[in-house]
Amino acid sequence: PETVPIPGPKGLPFVGSMLDVNIELPLSTWDGFADEYGDIFRVNFPGRTTVWVTTQALAHELCDEKRFRKSIKNALNQVRNGVHDGLFTARDEEPNWGVAHRILMPAFGPASIQGMFPDMLEIATQLALKWARHGPETPIMVTDDFTRLTLDTLALCSMNFRFNSYYHDAMHPFITAMGDFLTESGTRQLRPSFAGIFYRQANKKYWEDIQVLRDTAQAVLDSRKKHPSDRKDLLTAMLDGIDPKTGQKLSDSSIIDNLITFLIAGHETTSGLLSFAFYQLIKHPEAYKRAQAEVDSVLGRGTITVEHTKKLPYISAILRETLRLSPTIPIIALEAKEDTVIGGKYHIPKEQMVLLLLSKIHLDKRVYGETAEQFVPERMLEENFERLLKEFPDCWKPFGNGMRACIGRPFAWQEAVLVMAVLLQNFDFSFDDPNYSLQYKQTLTVKPKDFYMRATLRHGQT
Ligand code: HEM
């Protein structure tokens, strides 16, 4: 077919649009280009061109795994310095991806995740106790406390390791090293390669951080081998698992890659989701009331069980709507398997990187109508949600696509529903600053910036 050029900023010779990128919040740059250029745009950087799509219709074409695959060219390629061909950062064709995927899928299945409920509840209870002790006058740094929660939960459920983050003001050295490693992985990719010599100190620290991550995981692995356990966690699954297709087991270094990967992939994404969800609830009192009423009618004053978590449809709808408006991974990187044409008229050469800009795809008016930018959890109640996905496939992609979609989704969902329920059951929440307006902070994921809330016990001290 006849093709037309993809519109986009002109940029400068040599550096392209590099100087236009808001380093603090790159997402604002991409969203700005989307507002200016529409459904699709092209951005040039030194040595590479990127194409971005912003509508459900184009996203649907790109989610065709026969034509496109996951791309590991940008920040993910840097993260490989620490976790190699672990599940998140492997290329489709790398054999370790298939082996780990087949061994781990059952470990992320419903039975296994339900088995983790008591550990998840224990960490959620620690958080509730901390907030109860703080009392209603203390501002809560929401994203920090949810990050403690999600990291502690992941470490406990995946390898029976306790960070005990609530008992220390300073984060565990592993957590600091991981945060610095991720931030640096994000900025390294924006630097031209020749600039490396100006960043000796940063490079040294980067590789030291990676060593801290790997040494910690190695120590957990060694200890488990010395003291075998029948705990049904992800580490056991990886140590005992045999790939049904090849008969292979995972090597030690592959187990370490994946242990670190779970912590990286699972903590900020889930803590960001919880933080945005509480922001939305406090901002929307009607939805808040409905959520609290649902929790009260299902849980009463009793202790939450795994069965309860399946009876909270409005909480699920809130989480889905939150991920629609604020996908914590806002961009998914793909590349064309062969030369192709999308949207009937845009030529995409083989290996061209194409990015799904979820922050815009999720606001497509053709899908979500005039209220696309508003928080309306009702549209995400089970029946409505299914209808949406059927009528507009790939209109909601916060967990990624196809075989490379999030393996941890059931884990994250159970944890998020549990935490929302326990917190709404026990506290009333309000903004610390009544005039707070939502801003984003971006590392490899996005979360609300400077968001503080207050928590008042609903039923007095127990
Ligand atoms: C993959 C989102 C929680 C582990 C992904 C991808 C997305 C995503 C978008 C695909 C990335 C891409 O295409 O490049 C989320 C969100 C979460 C969440 C929004 C929480 C709300 C978790 C948790 C874990 C986890 C809790 C671990 C326990 C992984 C892994 C992959 C992945 C291992 C790579 C899968 C593969 O390629 O085989 N996630 N995730 N995620 N996620 Fe999650």
Side-chain angles (χ1 to χ4, degrees), residues 70 87-88 97 108 154 265-266 269-270 328 398-400 404 406-408:
K70 173 160 170 164
L87 273 176
F88 203 100
W97 179 81
F108 280 101
L154 271 164
T269 44
T270 315
T328 50
F399 289 104
R404 300 306 300 270
C406 182
I407 200 172

Side-chain angles (χ1 to χ4, degrees), residues 303-323:
T303 305
I304 188 168
T305 65
V306 88
E307 288 310 313
H308 290 134
T309 58
K310 298 174 201 155
K311 293 185 204 143
L312 296 163
Y314 196 65
I315 299 289
S316 275
I318 285 170
L319 293 171
R320 288 183 190 130
E321 181 72 343
T322 300
L323 282 174

Side-chain angles (χ1 to χ4, degrees), residues 279-298:
Y279 166 81
Q280 295 292 6
L281 281 187
I282 300 174
K283 191 86 189 164
H284 297 93
E286 287 305 314
Y288 190 136
K289 275 194 213 117
R290 189 166 170 187
Q292 194 176 58
E294 180 177 272
V295 168
D296 287 351
S297 79
V298 175

Side-chain angles (χ1 to χ4, degrees), residues 214 217-218 221-222 225 235 238-239 249-259:
R214 298 197 68 86
Q218 181 78 53
L221 176 60
D222 291 345
K225 282 187 166 172
L235 181 50
M238 290 197 284
L239 278 167
K249 297 189 76 169
L250 286 174
S251 68
D252 280 7
S253 87
S254 192
I255 291 178
I256 288 170
D257 289 339
N258 282 307
L259 282 176

Side-chain angles (χ1 to χ4, degrees), residues 381-418:
L381 285 166
E382 195 65 31
E383 266 180 31
N384 300 340
F385 181 55
E386 273 169 21
R387 203 176 322 120
L388 262 180
L389 291 185
K390 215 168 145 200
E391 192 175 350
F392 302 104
D394 302 311
C395 64
W396 185 87
K397 294 303 267 186
F399 289 104
N401 186 50
M403 72 175 198
R404 300 306 300 270
C406 182
I407 200 172
R409 181 170 170 178
F411 183 108
W413 212 258
Q414 178 172 292
E415 181 183 7
V417 171
L418 155 68

